[in-house]
Amino acid sequence: MLPESDLADASVATVRRWLEESAAVPIDSSAARLAGLLKDPKGLDFTLGFVDGVVRPEDLRVAGRNLERVSHSIPGFLPWYLRGAILLGGGFAPLVPWPIVPIARRVLRGMVGHLVIDATPERLDKSLAKLRRSGIRLNLNLLGEAVLGDDEANRRLDGTKALLARDDVDYVSIKVSSVAAQLSMWAFDDMVEAVVARLTPLYELAAASPSPKFINLDMEEYRDLDLTMAVFTRLLDQPQLRRLEAGIVLQAYLPDALAAMQSLNEWATKRRLSGGAGIKVRLVKGANLAMEHVDATAHHWPLATYSTKLDTDTNYKRVLNWSLTPQRTDAVRIGVAGHNLFDVAWAWQLAKRRAVESRVEFEMLLGMAAAQADAVKRDVGGLLLYTPVVHPAEFDSAISYLVRRLEENASSENFMSGVFELAANDEVFAREEGRFRVSLAALDENVPEPNRTQNRAKTLAVAPTASFSNQPDTDPSLAANRAWAERVLARSADSRLGVASVSAALVTDRDVLVQRIEAAARAGDAWGAKSGGERARVLHDAGDVLAAFRGRLIEVMASETGKTIAEGDVEVSEAIDFAHYYAERAAELDEITDATYVPPRLTVVTPPWNFPVAIPAGSVLAALAAGSGVIIKPARQASRSGAVMVEALWEAGIPRDLLTLVGVNEAELGKLLVSHPSVDRVILTGGWDTANLFRSWRADLPLLAETSGKNAIIVTPSADLDLAVADVVRSAFGHAGQKCSAAALVILVWSVARSERFSRQLEDAVRTLRVGSPQQLSTQM
């Protein structure tokens, strides 16, 4: 049922009234500075540079140099005395950072103190008392260091529990990612079980409280959607929590939001009918768009969110329109969260028309447009403020929150970019009213399809495009893919894939090896005579077959070399990419008109065991693209993985004599294979000693050798220490530490060597790594 057409006019009239009421209230200094920041073209860059460069670094010398740098671009929205203080302080900060930087940091905390409040008990007491006197309810969210290990996760959970236990706190928010470290969507069921076990005591505290206590389970990234919903329903299905009302967040910038709301409503209705309490769903538009873009780009997935603000605004109304009915709000209260006055007014008018206003709660962010928030509160009868809390020593941990807030507010597409001009600027009001009406005109009753629909059990390959594009990795946030992964790993426990090919490829006789070398060279002559376009078509087919073999390749890698599902899957994607990329490069050879290209007749490929599919495939496919015959001798520890990869290429139409799989156990036969005069090129990925040995066997050997070793990571005082720890752990222990570029040494520059935070986070993260069998989805190394 779509809302009445006159609801838009009533909403606009309500917004005008709220603006008139708020205009009569003098704007406080914090709001004035925020308004100035949003209007000043230098405001956002200066503030982010100050927060990231002066507040975050532990080393005062680094902060001092950064203060001097940002002091050259002071925006005009700051009052003259602050501009003068920053300019003066910036000049002396590199010389005497110890007194100047702490003062500058206190000034910044004062500037953004209305957005994040101090968690120190004494200051928190005062802040909560002051805010509660105004009749506003508070939703406290404890911020802190990045959760890289169990110790920090425990500390964050204990901190939230301490907040909830206070007499003056009745509402807290917490994220799954803040109470459980190193979450893996591959191990979905294990993660749900672990998070439920960790959160249950917190919910039991709320349920046993003599006064009502409310816990809101927050949402961050798209990958958290299914996990958060599963944790939420599993928690509240426990007998001791059946009578507890609790909340969960949905993000309207996800097309999945309405289907998720419908699922939650169905579950909550059954819970109510069985004597349990209802729930609350807090609807937000979403605040992690930048991270979603990064995640989608890194894995070559479709963007999970809507790509336009208009679509998000429409979906926000779509979810509200479906939810705000007497039948549906009986089990599910709705939290309307946001500062867009047009959307807030529309939701309020809709709730009143449908007589469900008592089942709707309006929510805004602490410190954002306080006068407008007060006007809304007087009209709707109450307001809940989302209130971030952080300890001063961890104020830098609030940076990510502040960055999201400031970037959102400064965006010209965002309502908040003009929020302080709405009352006085008719042009800004008309712009926002127009956006509101356009989004409302697009409203329908359809349930949107998710942007992510990948299903590895059904989809074999990505349709070819006009130019090269990377093969998407398997998305473990989707249930169908997780079920597929479970079946793959279940088979890998006793996998014998590739055994037949390995046995057939084993050569123990010198004459047989010579025959295979010469046959491959002859096949290389015929292959090299083909056009680049002809070779390209076969290699594109090879990419498609490798995609169809994804499950088998992961299965044999797990069985033979201990590859985890997360690391094996991306390796297959890389192998597929090699096929299509080299296919296009082969076709380009036909465009060479000013030179004569002579392909090598035969290339020998000797790959390593640590990347048993991607590196062998890349070497083989490059040689085939160049017009060469290929003999591949996989590493002994990865012979079956190499064999299955080769089987895929044979199935794609690459002749067996053109691509020959061999195994040799004797040193003399190995020497013959590499040094035979028919071999035009050798591709080696391995140690320097091996490369040197190959060259000693044949001085004129064209040898393409990658012989990299362990690497060092340098962490400077300017680094984000939490990100540095995450990168060090990933580099050192990813792929069981066997990646050729794995970090074996961390060089800590100056103050980082004495950083308690760096060493504590590093130890915590490493101790939390899950070591086990590759057949277990939760195994990390």
Side-chain angles (χ1 to χ4, degrees), residues 220-423:
E220 197 161 25
E221 300 175 44
Y222 174 75
R223 69 166 196 164
D224 300 330
L225 177 59
D226 282 1
L227 179 66
T228 304
M229 289 179 60
V231 167
F232 180 72
T233 54
R234 185 85 63 84
L235 272 167
L236 297 186
D237 276 339
Q238 296 179 97
Q240 74 274 28
L241 299 176
R242 288 181 66 250
R243 302 296 301 170
L244 177 69
E245 184 193 40
I248 188 172
V249 170
L250 290 180
Q251 299 161 307
Y253 68 4
L254 297 175
D256 317 60
L258 180 52
M261 175 69 86
Q262 292 173 339
S263 175
L264 286 168
N265 196 286
E266 180 182 2
W267 169 82
T269 299
K270 293 177 181 176
R271 185 174 189 249
R272 285 273 284 159
L273 291 173
S274 66
I279 65 170
K280 174 186 170 184
V281 175
R282 177 174 184 256
L283 183 65
V284 302
K285 291 190 177 177
N288 288 282
L289 188 57
M291 181 56 70
E292 296 293 356
H293 274 282
V294 169
D295 196 44
T297 301
H299 295 284
H300 316 293
W301 296 329
L303 182 65
T305 68
Y306 283 113
S307 58
T308 70
K309 186 68 165 59
L310 170 62
D311 287 336
T312 295
D313 289 347
T314 297
N315 201 43
Y316 187 80
K317 298 176 183 65
R318 183 183 289 116
V319 177
L320 288 175
N321 179 59
W322 185 90
S323 305
L324 294 180
T325 69
Q327 299 93 330
R328 291 164 184 156
T329 55
D330 178 65
V332 181
R333 290 196 300 125
I334 302 298
V336 179
H339 281 265
N340 187 316
L341 296 180
F342 292 94
D343 288 344
V344 172
W346 183 83
W348 176 237
Q349 294 293 337
L350 181 64
K352 289 196 296 183
R353 292 279 180 95
R354 296 180 179 175
V356 295
E357 60 266 41
S358 65
R359 302 294 291 168
V360 178
E361 188 168 25
F362 289 86
E363 308 181 21
M364 292 185 173
L365 300 171
L366 175 72
M368 296 285 187
Q372 295 178 8
D374 284 342
V376 172
K377 178 174 73 72
R378 287 191 296 271
D379 217 8
V380 304
L383 199 64
L384 181 69
L385 286 186
Y386 190 83
T387 309
V389 179
V390 68
H391 289 278
E394 299 174 335
F395 184 76
D396 67 293
S397 302
I399 288 175
S400 59
Y401 171 82
L402 292 173
V403 165
R404 288 202 301 270
R405 296 286 83 82
L406 296 174
E407 286 183 327
E408 288 171 24
N409 295 340
S411 169
S412 61
E413 288 190 341
N414 194 290
F415 174 85
M416 290 297 290
S417 65
V419 69
F420 297 107
E421 300 179 82
L422 278 174

